[in-house]
Amino acid sequence: MTDDRPLFRLDGKVAMVTGAATGLGAGIAVMLARQGADVAVSGRSAAALTETAAAAKRFGGRVLSVEMDVRDRHQRERGVAAALDAFGRVDILVNNAGINRPLPALDVTEENWDDTYDTNVKGGFFLAQQLAPGMMERGWGRIIWISSQSGLVAIPGQPVYCSSKGAVVQLVRTLAVEWAKSGITVNSVAPTFVETNLTRTRLQNPEFRAFVLGKIPKGELATVEDVAAAVAFLASEEAGMINGHNLPVDGGWTVW
């Protein structure tokens, strides 16, 4: 029998997106809502989530704003509890929350290192640990990290960020192996530079922008929509055999 349902839909699924106030997180949350998912959007400030929540609600699904700093265990626990109380479950976790404070290696402080790893790696791991048991009980789940091409290639002046994103790539592989037989896939999306509040200042430097564009065979920056579409695909039923994969959305940077 031919299945005529639209491809890559997320109707009936519940997603949680971290770092969803602006930039990639906001775009991902809106894209998942557009594809039919109910969405819990989280960020360090509930007030900052207003615009994302309003944009997601336009697609008719349920949307919950959750104030949550992924570095804080108690806030993670409260955030997950709020999502489960509102929706009953979370089927899709998108670990998007991340920071990048570029410094050459000799200038890196322990505070810089700890904040980066706590945000980019540790927080997402423990959110996945909290939500995975419920996914296992239902026999279906999607855990998607926003890694970076910087986890695959070196970027001058970013040893902490690059190493944290490399850690994400390896963590994804390990969890994918552990949880696959429980019906959970674990993947990551690795964008090249996207002009957001995280990168805008650096990209306004003509020399750095020329460096970036010179590394991308396509000669263009990625867009928020490019990254969000990749996440929506990995969250879908159709991506069920993609597991432990790091999907570059980089215009070809990492093929050099």
Side-chain angles (χ1 to χ4, degrees):
M1 180 182 293
T2 302
D3 187 349
D4 293 326
R5 68 184 178 85
L7 295 174
F8 314 125
R9 292 290 301 175
L10 300 173
D11 302 281
K13 302 299 184 186
V14 177
M16 170 175 270
V17 182
T18 66
T22 61
L24 292 179
I28 290 165
V30 172
M31 178 67 77
L32 298 181
R34 175 182 172 183
Q35 293 304 106
D38 296 325
V39 183
V41 294
S42 80
R44 286 185 287 180
S45 165
L49 295 165
T50 302
E51 188 173 337
T52 302
K57 285 177 182 176
R58 292 202 306 265
F59 298 98
R62 297 176 296 169
V63 179
L64 174 71
S65 295
V66 178
E67 187 169 307
M68 180 174 67
D69 185 337
V70 300
R71 298 172 299 177
D72 186 296
R73 175 171 64 88
H74 300 294
Q75 290 195 36
R76 290 194 304 266
E77 291 172 352
R78 288 197 298 267
V80 167
L84 295 179
D85 183 60
F87 298 132
R89 68 185 196 282
V90 173
D91 305 297
I92 301 160
L93 170 64
V94 182
N95 281 321
N96 166 75
I99 61 172
N100 182 12
R101 297 169 183 161
L103 284 172
L106 292 179
D107 295 332
V108 171
T109 64
E110 287 196 34
E111 181 183 14
N112 180 305
W113 181 279
D114 291 343
D115 279 350
T116 301
Y117 270 76
D118 285 352
T119 305
N120 295 2
V121 187
K122 179 181 174 181
F125 171 79
F126 283 105
L127 280 173
Q129 186 188 68
Q130 283 180 262
L131 290 168
M135 296 177 183
M136 291 173 181
E137 288 177 11
R138 295 184 296 275
W140 198 98
R142 300 284 188 265
I143 298 173
I144 303 163
W145 255 272
I146 304 303
S147 57
S148 171
Q149 67 178 20
S150 300
L152 303 172
V153 296
I155 307 292
Q158 297 187 186
V160 183
Y161 183 75
C162 289
S163 63
S164 74
K165 293 301 186 176
V168 165
V169 171
Q170 190 63 9
L171 180 57
V172 161
R173 291 170 177 155
T174 306
L175 296 181
V177 170
E178 285 198 21
W179 295 347
K181 290 186 178 179
S182 299
I184 301 172
T185 66
V186 186
N187 294 289
S188 56
V189 173
T192 187
F193 282 86
V194 181
E195 194 156 349
T196 67
N197 59 313
L198 193 67
T199 62
R200 189 164 292 114
T201 299
R202 297 187 79 200
L203 289 170
Q204 287 173 347
N205 180 321
E207 184 178 348
F208 185 74
R209 192 180 188 94
F211 162 76
V212 168
L213 293 177
K215 288 286 189 179
I216 302 173
K218 194 177 180 184
E220 301 173 6
L221 301 176
T223 67
V224 169
E225 291 74 20
D226 292 331
V227 179
V231 173
F233 166 64
L234 290 174
S236 70
E237 293 279 2
E238 289 79 8
M241 278 299 287
I242 300 175
N243 191 37
H245 182 64
N246 183 57
L247 175 59
V249 180
D250 66 354
W253 183 316
T254 55
V255 304
W256 290 116

